[in-house]
Each structure stands twice: as structure tokens, then as C-alpha cells.
Amino acid sequence: MMGDNIDFRSDTVTWPTEAMRLAMAQAPVGDDVYGDDPTVLLLEREAARMLGKEAALFVTSGTMGNQLAIMAQTRPTDEIILSERSHIVWHEAGAAALLSNVQLRCLPVENGLMDLAKIEATIRKTPQDIHSPTTRLICLEDADSDGNVPDLEYLKKIRALADRYHVAVHLDGARLFNAATALNVSAAAISREVDTVMCCLSKGLCAPVGSILAGPQVVIDLARRKRKMLGGGWRQAGMLAAAGLIALRDMSGRLADDHALAQKLAADITALGPNWFTLVSKPQINLVFLQLTGYPLNGDVMTTRLRERGILINAPDEGVLRLACHYWITPEDVTYLLTVLKEIAEI
């Protein structure tokens, strides 16, 4: 439980651990814009190593990391191919249009995956054609906001396709370490199939703020310049980087606990009563998606009643609930949620 409430809304609500708070207080710092904050430099080296990339950059958020990847690998009027349900399309305020002046070519997805044949058909085959934009980048997600994790075989096929047409690949890996845990592989095994990768240090890893963008040195150098243009140059950011180091080194190794709890939650909640909830899909990571079917209360009333009992969830979106398990959710919290769901249904 976090504070006075049990918060299932998202893993973005996680607080830093006590170990993080202590490390932040004791972190050696410098001025990152001058390139002399030792803790930031250590974080970037460690992130590059763990992601199997030449270089890494500490940025404020996943959105900034994604947008810097686009800015550093495209030119105005280029085109990028991505999922119509992707974070870049839905939740980044149209930034790619303003910051990179690129065109988004959005493809449908099934179980979180774009069809390989449709991707190939969408790639502009004649870059010299004066009528068409140039396909410069394919953007993927791992895991996506619906909890889908593409397997390595799919990523390898994307990599081969992109290489055939000389197109770069960026991975929005906001929950990259969750995906690696689900696939039982290293984060580097995933990120080696793409040119650049972003991963969040917050969410399930519990750092209070910050993400990593990793890739070739030349791309990261340009992204660092673009970060400065956006006002993203840190000063004494070592205090934040100290929490990021614990996120990478320690918290990334415990995500299987969150996944197991999500699977238990999914099983228990669907067994509450006849057709109260329908599991949308078996949880792959720490997110549980449930269709509100025959539960006696509608979604808004249920959300309000739960809040009154100290449980926070987001209202259903088109009848679908998303519940997130994370470091601050315990098995006892899950039991309490189930108890309260049954009690308020009988009022």
C-alpha cells in the first residue's frame, strides 16, 4: 500500500524506495551540461552496457526519449511507420509533427503487432521520387500500453526488413525490462534488434523520474544536442541518476514478482462471480486487462466506491479495466481489492 491508498491505476505511481532516497541524498554530483556529473556519467555507461549499445543518454521522460530518437534519425518531411495505437501517436501531444516535421504512417495492430507484409508494403521503395516522403524510421513498442510483448523472432524479422530497405528502427521500451522478464531474455537481447531504444527508469523500476535513450554514439551525440535545444540539459542531476542506477541494477531483477502477482490477480478476479469480469488476455507483464461484463455496478460507480474504501483504479475505458501491479502492491492488497469488490456489489 502506498500512503493511505492502494493504487492500481498504473505503475507510473510508484514511489522511490528507501534505498533510492538514501542514494539520492549521498550522490556525488556535478554539472551535467558540462559533462562532469559523475553519477550521471556512471548511469549512462551502465545503461549502455545493460542495453548492449555504444552510448546512452539520461533524459527526463519516455516521451522525451522517443522524440529525441525521432529528431536524431529523421529529417523534415521524412515518414515514420508505427502502430496506430502507439504511445507516440496517442500520448505525446503530436510532438513528432512539431519537433521533427515528420509524417506518421500509422498501421493497425493485432495483439500489439503490426503485420510484416503491411510494413513492407508501406515502406517507400523509391526515395528519389519527388512526390513521396522518404521512409526513415520504424517505431516499435515493447511492451505496449496493452501489455503485449513481441517475441524476439518478430523483432528479428523487423530488423531484417528494415536492413533490406536501409531504414532505422527505434524501440519505445518504456517497460523494456518487463518485456525481457516475460521473454526470459536480457534487455540487450531485445535491444540489439533495433538501432535505438528508450526505457523508463520509473514505472516498475521505481525511480522518481527519468528515462534512458541508447544507441550508436553518433546518434546519441546528436540526441544530446537536441535535448539541450528542448531545455532538457540537466545540472546537478546526479541525485536523480543515483535512483536510476538502483532501478537498473536492482529493481530490474525483481519484476517477475509483479508479473506473478498480476497473474494471480487476473485469475482471482475473474473467478469472483458468474460473468462479472472477462479477462481480455492472459497477463504477459504486470498489467491486467478486464472487460466489465456482468458486474452489478457500472464502471464509474465501482471506481467511486473503491476510492471510498482506499483503492484507486482508473475508470473503465470502453468497458475495459486496466489494473497494474508494482513494487508497492502486495498480495494482501490484492486480497483486499477482491473483498471490497464483492462487498460493494452487494450494497
Side-chain angles (χ1 to χ4, degrees):
M1 180 184 295
M2 299 174 61
D4 296 328
N5 293 305
I6 303 170
D7 201 337
F8 286 96
R9 290 175 300 170
S10 175
D11 49 9
T12 63
V13 303
T14 52
W15 296 348
T17 65
E18 287 303 313
M20 287 179 177
R21 293 175 185 271
L22 180 61
M24 292 168 71
Q26 298 177 342
V29 298
D31 189 316
D32 179 58
V33 174
Y34 282 114
D36 62 12
D37 187 302
T39 313
V40 171
L41 292 173
L42 179 59
L43 172 65
E44 291 176 342
R45 289 195 300 270
E46 184 73 359
R49 183 191 66 80
M50 291 183 69
L51 298 178
K53 294 300 182 187
E54 191 175 10
L57 179 66
F58 184 34
V59 300
T60 59
S61 67
T63 294
M64 178 179 276
N66 285 336
Q67 293 303 320
L68 289 175
I70 296 170
M71 293 173 74
Q73 295 178 97
T74 64
R75 295 177 295 205
T77 75
D78 282 344
E79 186 171 75
I80 64 177
I81 298 172
L82 70 177
S83 157
E84 65 183 6
R85 292 184 56 79
S86 67
H87 194 277
I88 291 171
V89 172
W90 277 90
H91 301 298
E92 300 191 6
L98 176 65
L99 300 176
S100 298
N101 302 133
V102 294
Q103 179 166 291
L104 304 186
R105 196 77 178 275
C106 303
L107 298 182
V109 293
E110 184 173 347
N111 296 324
L113 303 180
M114 294 181 288
D115 182 76
L116 289 162
K118 289 181 180 178
I119 294 175
E120 183 166 18
T122 303
I123 294 173
R124 310 284 183 169
K125 310 301 191 301
T126 53
Q128 69 275 16
D129 185 347
I130 63 172
H131 302 90
S132 302
T134 299
T135 303
R136 194 74 64 181
L137 188 65
I138 298 171
C139 293
L140 306 173
E141 285 189 312
D142 198 358
D144 69 13
S145 57
D146 295 324
N148 297 299
V149 179
D151 61 28
L152 284 180
E153 204 54 42
Y154 177 80
L155 295 177
K156 290 177 186 293
K157 290 176 181 177
I158 294 287
R159 173 79 275 166
L161 179 62
D163 288 346
R164 193 179 315 144
Y165 293 101
H166 308 290
V167 176
V169 181
H170 169 66
L171 180 64
D172 174 352
R175 295 182 176 89
L176 177 67
F177 288 94
N178 290 94
T181 299
L183 296 176
N184 195 29
V185 300
S186 68
I190 295 173
S191 61
R192 76 165 56 104
E193 304 303 332
V194 300
D195 295 279
T196 55
V197 57
M198 183 281 294
C199 69
C200 292
L201 301 172
S202 55
K203 296 188 170 72
L205 302 188
C206 283
V209 65
S211 292
I212 291 292
L213 176 64
Q217 185 72 58
V218 64
V219 174
I220 297 305
D221 287 345
L222 182 55
R224 188 179 298 275
R225 179 176 180 83
K226 302 288 187 182
R227 186 189 69 169
K228 177 63 176 175
M229 291 169 58
L230 298 179
W234 304 99
R235 293 303 175 184
Q236 286 69 41
M239 288 183 288
L240 296 173
L245 280 166
I246 293 175
L248 287 179
R249 291 170 171 172
D250 300 334
M251 303 303 284
S252 63
R254 58 152 307 277
L255 295 176
D257 295 342
D258 297 340
H259 296 190
L261 190 57
Q263 290 165 12
K264 181 181 186 305
L265 171 60
D268 290 350
I269 203 169
T270 53
L272 274 178
N275 300 319
W276 276 11
F277 301 96
T278 301
L279 191 64
V280 174
S281 59
K282 182 179 179 181
Q284 291 182 271
I285 55 171
N286 62 317
L287 304 177
V288 178
F289 293 87
L290 299 157
Q291 186 80 37
L292 188 63
T293 48
Y295 189 73
L297 301 178
N298 69 44
D300 290 335
V301 173
M302 178 185 64
T303 301
T304 299
R305 296 276 180 84
L306 287 172
R307 182 181 291 271
E308 291 169 353
R309 299 289 295 274
I311 299 172
L312 303 181
I313 67 170
N314 287 326
D317 182 6
E318 298 182 347
V320 175
L321 289 169
R322 188 187 81 167
L323 304 176
C325 294
H326 49 75
Y327 182 77
W328 298 105
I329 296 290
T330 68
E332 291 75 23
D333 294 334
V334 168
T335 299
Y336 180 63
L337 169 64
L338 298 170
T339 299
V340 174
L341 280 171
K342 288 187 284 189
E343 289 177 355
I344 64 176
E346 296 169 356
I347 294 174

